[in-house]
C-alpha cells in the first residue's frame, strides 16, 4: 500500500514537472495546440518526422486569424509570430528587446561557435561591428576574381558531363561549386571538388554536415541539461581540422595579408586593429553607464569566422542556386528571358564574367529572389526576448528569455500575401508591382541588425554560378519532384530532400 502511494506521488511529481509550464499561453490568451507531457507541441520534430520549418508552417496554417500562436518545445514555451508586421517590430524597431538568437548558451560555447550566428550579447555585437566591413561591396569586388575562376571551372566541368546527355544532379554540382569558393575565398586554399573526389575541402564540408550519431546524442543531452552536459561538443569532430587549416594558411602568410584579397587576408587585416572594444549591451556600471568590453581577436575567433563560410554560407548558397535551376527547367520562358539578358550583358563585357556584369543582370536577380521566395534556404528566424515585452496592439506580454519564431517560409507561400504562391514568377520582384505587405513578408536573409551579414556574397556567388551555367547551357527537368521538400532532419536551414537531377544541354549560339 505504502509503495503504491509513494509510486503514485512520484508519478504525480514527474507529471507536474513535465507539464508545469503548460498554462503559459492559456494565461496570456494565446491560441495553441494542446501540449503533451515531455514533447509539448513539438513531438513530430522530436521524433524526426518533421523539421522546425514544417512545425512553424503547420501552426501558421492552422490558426489563420491569429497574430501570435503558442508553441511548446518540450516544456519550454515559444511563440510563433504569424503577423509579418509584428515580426518587423521584433527584427528592427524593437531589436533592443530581441538582440539574442538564443541558440547556444554562452557557458557551453564551443570554439567554432564563437561567431555571429551562434554568439549573443557582447561577443555577438563586437564581432558584428568588427566583421561588417569585411563583407562590404569593395571587399567582395576585390575577392570576385576568385569566384569567377571557380565559375569558369564549373563551365568546363559541365562541358564534360553534358556531352553524355545524362541527367546531372544540380544540387551536387552547385554544392561542389560553392564548396570550392569557400575553399578559395573563405579559407585561402585552392580546392577543386568539381574534378577531384578526394578534395580536402569537400571532405571537410561533408564531415561538417554529416549526421554524426554522437553529435545528435551530444546535442540532445546539451539541450536537456546545459549545466550537466554543457561540456559535450557538437563540432568536436571538425574543430581541430578547421582551426589547423586556418592556422596553417595564416602561418604561410607570416600573419600578413598576401594580396590575394580572400577572407584570410581580411581576417589578418582585422586582427591588426587590435582587440575589439566598446560599450557592453548587457552590463552596466553602478552609475548606469554601460561597462566597457574588450575581446581579443584570437586564433580561435578567426578560425570560427572562416568556419561561418561553411556553417552559414554553404547549404544556403548551393540550395538557392540549384533550386533556381530547377525552377528555370520547369519554366522555359523564364529561362529564355534570363539567358537573353545574360547574353546581352556578357556581350558588353567581352563575354567575360565579372562583378559589374553580374550586378547588371537584374532579371537573373529576380529569378534568384523568386526561388528564395518559394524555397528559402533558411525557413524560420529566431530571436529571444532579453526582458519582458508586450507585443504592440495586443495584450500579450512575454517574459525575458522566451524564444520567438518568425515563419518566413510560411509568409512567402501564403496566397493571401503572394497570390498563386507555387507559380514561379520573377516579375513579382519588379519594384513597381511589389506591395508594401510583400516587402515586409519577404525575409530570405532575415532582417534588422542581425540580418545575414553575407547576403551580398551569397547573392553574387550564386548569380555567378547561374550566369556561368546559363550562358552556355539550357536546363530541362529530369525526374526530380516538381515541388521538392526539405529533409525532416533539417534545422532552420532547409536541406533539400534527395537530389535535383536536370539535363544540361549545350546552347547553340
Ligand atoms: C544565399 C545565401 C544565403 C542565405 C539565403 C542566407 C540567409 C541567412 C539568414 C536567413 C540568416 C538569419 C538572419 C536573421 O536571423 O535575421 C543569416 C544569418 C547569417 N548569415 Fe547568411 N545566408 C546566406 C549566405 C551567407 C554567407 C555566404 C555568409 C558568410 C560567409 C553568411 C553569413 C551569415 C552570418 C554571419 C549570419 C548571422 C548574422 C548575425 O546574427 O549577426 N550567410 N543568413
Ligand atoms: C561528443 O562529446 C564527446 C565528449 O566531449 C566528444 O569527444 C565528441 O567528439 C563529441 N562528438 C562530436 C560529434 O562532436
Ligand atoms: C562522429 O564524431 C566522432 C567524435 O568526434 C568521431 O570519432 C566519428 O568518427 C564521427 N563519425 C562520423 C560518421 O563522422
Amino acid at each position: 500500500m505504502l509503495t503504491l502511494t509513494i509510486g503514485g506521488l512520484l508519478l504525480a511529481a514527474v507529471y507536474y514537472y513535465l507539464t508545469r509550464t503548460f498554462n503559459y499561453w492559456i494565461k496570456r490568451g494565446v491560441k495553441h495546440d494542446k501540449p503533451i507531457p515531455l514533447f509539448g507541441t513539438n513531438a513530430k520534430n522530436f521524433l524526426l518526422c518533421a523539421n522546425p520549418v514544417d512545425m512553424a508552417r503547420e501552426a501558421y496554417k492552422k490558426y489563420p486569424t491569429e497574430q501570435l500562436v503558442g508553441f511548446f518545445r518540450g516544456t519550454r514555451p515559444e511563440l510563433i509570430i504569424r503577423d509579418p508586421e509584428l515580426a518587423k517590430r521584433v527584427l528592427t524597431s524593437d531589436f533592443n528587446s530581441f538582440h539574442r538568437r538564443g541558440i547556444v548558451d554562452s557557458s557551453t560555447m564551443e570554439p567554432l561557435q564563437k561567431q555571429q550566428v551562434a554568439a549573443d550579447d557582447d561577443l555577438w555585437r563586437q564581432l558584428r561591428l568588427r566583421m561588417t566591413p569585411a563583407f562590404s561591396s569593395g571587399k567582395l569586388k576585390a575577392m570576385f576574381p576568385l569566384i569567377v575562376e571557380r565559375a569558369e571551372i564549373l563551365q568546363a566541368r559541365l562541358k564534360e558531363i553534358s556531352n553524355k546527355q545524362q541527367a546531372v544532379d544540380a544540387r551536387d554540382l552547385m554544392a561542389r561549386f560553392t564548396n570550392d569558393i569557400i575553399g578559395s575565398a573563405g579559407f585561402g586554399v585552392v580546392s577543386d571538388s568539381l574534378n577531384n573526389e578526394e578534395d580536402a575541402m569537400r571532405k571537410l564540408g561533408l564531415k561538417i554536415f554529416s549526421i554524426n550519431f554522437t553529435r545528435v546524442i551530444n546535442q540532445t543531452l546539451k539541450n536537456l541539461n546545459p549545466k550537466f552536459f554543457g561540456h559535450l561538443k557538437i563540432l568536436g569532430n571538425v574543430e581541430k581540422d578547421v582551426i589547423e587549416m586556418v592556422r596553417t594558411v595564416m602561418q604561410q602568410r607570416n600573419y600578413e595579408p598576401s594580396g590575394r584579397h580572400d577572407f584570410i587576408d581580411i581576417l589578418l587585416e582585422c586582427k591588426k586593429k587590435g582587440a575589439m572594444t566598446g560599450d557592453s549591451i548587457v552590463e552596466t556600471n553602478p552609475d548606469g553607464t554601460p561597462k566597457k568590453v574588450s575581446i581579443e581577436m584570437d586564433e580561435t575567433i578567426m578560425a570560427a569566422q572562416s568556419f561561418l563560410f561553411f556553417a552559414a554560407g554553404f547549404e544556403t548558397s548551393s540550395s538557392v542556386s540549384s533550386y533556381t535551376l530547377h525552377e528555370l527547367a520547369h519554366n522555359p520562358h523564364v529561362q529564355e528571358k534570363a539567358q537573353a539578358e545574360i547574353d546581352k550583358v556578357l556581350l558588353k563585357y567581352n563575354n567575360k564574367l565579372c562583378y559589374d556584369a553580374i550586378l547588371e543582370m537584374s532579371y537573373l536577380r529576380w529569378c534568384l529572389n523568386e526561388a528564395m521566395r518559394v524555397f528559402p534556404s533558411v525557413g524560420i528566424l529566431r530571436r529571444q526576448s532579453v526582458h519582458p515585452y508586450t507585443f504592440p496592439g495586443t495584450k500579450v506580454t512575454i517574459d525575458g528569455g522566451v524564444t520567438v519564431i518568425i515563419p518566413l517560409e510560411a509568409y512567402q507561400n501564403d496566397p493571401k500575401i503572394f497570390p498563386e504562391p507555387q507559380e514561379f514568377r520573377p516579375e513579382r520582384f519588379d519594384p513597381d508591382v511589389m506591395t508594401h505587405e510583400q516587402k515586409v513578408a519577404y525575409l530570405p536573409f532575415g532582417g534588422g541588425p542581425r540580418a545575414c551579414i553575407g547576403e551580398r556574397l551569397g547573392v553574387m556567388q550564386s548569380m555567378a554560378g547561374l550566369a556561368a551555367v546559363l550562358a552556355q547551357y539550357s536546363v530541362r527537368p529530369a525526374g526530380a519532384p516538381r515541388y521538392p521538400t526539405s529533409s525532416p532532419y533539417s534545422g532552420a536551414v532547409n536541406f533539400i530532400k534527395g537530389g535535383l537531377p536536370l539535363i544540361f544541354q549545350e546552347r547553340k549560339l
Side-chain angles (χ1 to χ4, degrees), residues 51 53-54 57 375 484-490 494-497:
N51 62 45
V53 182
D54 298 327
R57 182 196 313 115
F375 196 92
T485 50
S486 56
S487 155
Y489 307 121
S490 302
N494 268 325
F495 281 65
I496 299 173
K497 198 165 141 189

Side-chain angles (χ1 to χ4, degrees), residues 35-244:
I36 48 178
L38 199 62
F39 296 111
T41 55
N42 195 43
K44 274 200 244 171
N45 176 232
F46 282 137
L47 299 174
L48 296 178
C49 301
N51 62 45
V53 182
D54 298 327
M55 300 306 292
R57 182 196 313 115
E58 206 171 282
Y60 182 87
K61 287 192 170 165
K62 196 161 167 189
Y63 299 93
T65 56
E66 300 305 305
Q67 285 178 288
L68 301 165
V69 177
F71 193 83
F72 292 94
R73 184 172 309 277
T75 51
R76 265 211 334 265
E78 294 187 354
L79 190 62
I80 295 170
I81 305 190
R82 271 200 90 262
D83 177 356
E85 289 290 347
L86 286 182
K88 190 178 167 188
R89 297 291 297 244
V90 167
L91 294 173
T92 53
S93 36
D94 293 339
F95 179 74
N96 288 341
S97 308
F98 289 99
H99 58 69
R100 305 180 62 110
R101 190 168 279 128
I103 51 175
V104 179
D105 193 282
S106 66
S107 64
T108 68
M109 185 159 262
E110 297 175 35
L112 293 183
Q113 291 175 328
K114 292 188 171 182
Q115 26 81 354
Q116 299 128 70
V117 172
D120 279 326
D121 301 334
D122 289 326
L123 179 57
W124 167 72
R125 170 141 163 98
Q126 290 307 318
L127 282 171
R128 182 86 194 194
L129 286 173
R130 177 62 62 92
M131 298 314 298
T132 295
F135 290 91
S136 69
S137 52
K139 289 275 191 287
L140 179 56
K141 198 170 170 175
M143 185 190 279
F144 214 68
L146 298 172
I147 294 175
V148 169
E149 191 179 276
R150 304 326 301 182
E152 285 165 352
I153 290 172
L154 174 65
Q155 284 177 327
R157 177 73 187 140
L158 268 174
K159 193 150 199 102
E160 292 167 27
I161 16 187
S162 70
N163 285 342
K164 295 180 190 140
Q165 268 301 318
Q166 282 168 353
V168 174
D169 181 359
R171 189 178 167 221
D172 180 66
L173 189 75
M174 298 318 276
R176 287 168 191 267
F177 166 68
T178 311
N179 185 95
D180 291 349
I181 292 177
I182 292 173
S184 178
F187 284 78
V189 295
V190 175
S191 78
D192 188 6
S193 68
L194 275 165
N195 294 300
N196 177 11
E197 277 307 316
E198 295 299 306
D199 185 78
M201 285 312 284
R202 177 73 183 157
K203 286 200 164 153
L204 179 59
L206 290 175
K207 212 163 149 187
I208 290 171
F209 290 101
S210 70
I211 297 173
N212 183 305
F213 185 66
T214 72
R215 175 180 296 165
V216 176
I217 300 285
N218 289 6
Q219 175 88 71
T220 309
L221 292 173
K222 256 179 125 154
N223 289 350
L224 213 65
N225 192 332
K227 274 207 196 81
F228 221 72
F229 296 112
H231 64 286
L232 296 181
K233 291 186 170 176
I234 54 171
L235 297 166
N237 60 335
V238 287
E239 183 181 309
K240 260 212 199 87
D241 297 352
V242 172
I243 294 177
E244 199 54 49

Side-chain angles (χ1 to χ4, degrees), residues 254-315:
N254 290 320
Y255 296 90
E256 291 291 333
S258 68
R260 203 169 170 265
H261 302 296
D262 56 22
F263 194 67
I264 300 286
D265 272 6
I266 296 173
L267 284 175
L268 290 168
E269 281 166 28
C270 280
K271 183 169 170 60
K272 286 203 164 152
K273 294 184 197 155
M276 302 177 277
T277 51
D279 288 344
S280 172
I281 54 171
V282 281
E283 288 188 83
T284 49
N285 292 310
D287 67 357
T289 56
K291 280 195 174 162
K292 295 282 171 217
V293 286
S294 176
I295 300 165
E296 204 58 53
M297 194 70 207
D298 60 18
E299 204 173 55
T300 312
I301 286 191
M302 294 204 278
Q305 295 299 313
S306 272
F307 176 68
L308 268 187
F309 275 70
F310 264 122
F314 177 67
E315 189 62 31

Side-chain angles (χ1 to χ4, degrees), residues 91 101 116-117 124 128 135 308-309 312-313 316-317 320 372 377-378 381-383 408 443-447 449-455 457-459 461-462:
L91 294 173
R101 190 168 279 128
Q116 299 128 70
V117 172
W124 167 72
R128 182 86 194 194
F135 290 91
L308 268 187
F309 275 70
T316 46
S317 303
V320 163
M372 288 188 288
S377 319
V378 179
L381 308 174
R382 278 178 216 278
R383 293 292 186 273
L408 70 96
L443 294 164
F445 292 100
R450 273 203 98 145
C452 178
I453 204 173
E455 169 170 357
L457 171 63
V459 165
Q461 73 183 31
S462 301

Side-chain angles (χ1 to χ4, degrees), residues 244-261:
E244 199 54 49
M245 200 173 261
V246 174
R247 180 189 296 142
T248 307
V249 178
M250 289 188 175
Q251 271 171 355
Q252 282 166 354
R253 298 181 185 184
N254 290 320
Y255 296 90
E256 291 291 333
S258 68
R260 203 169 170 265
H261 302 296

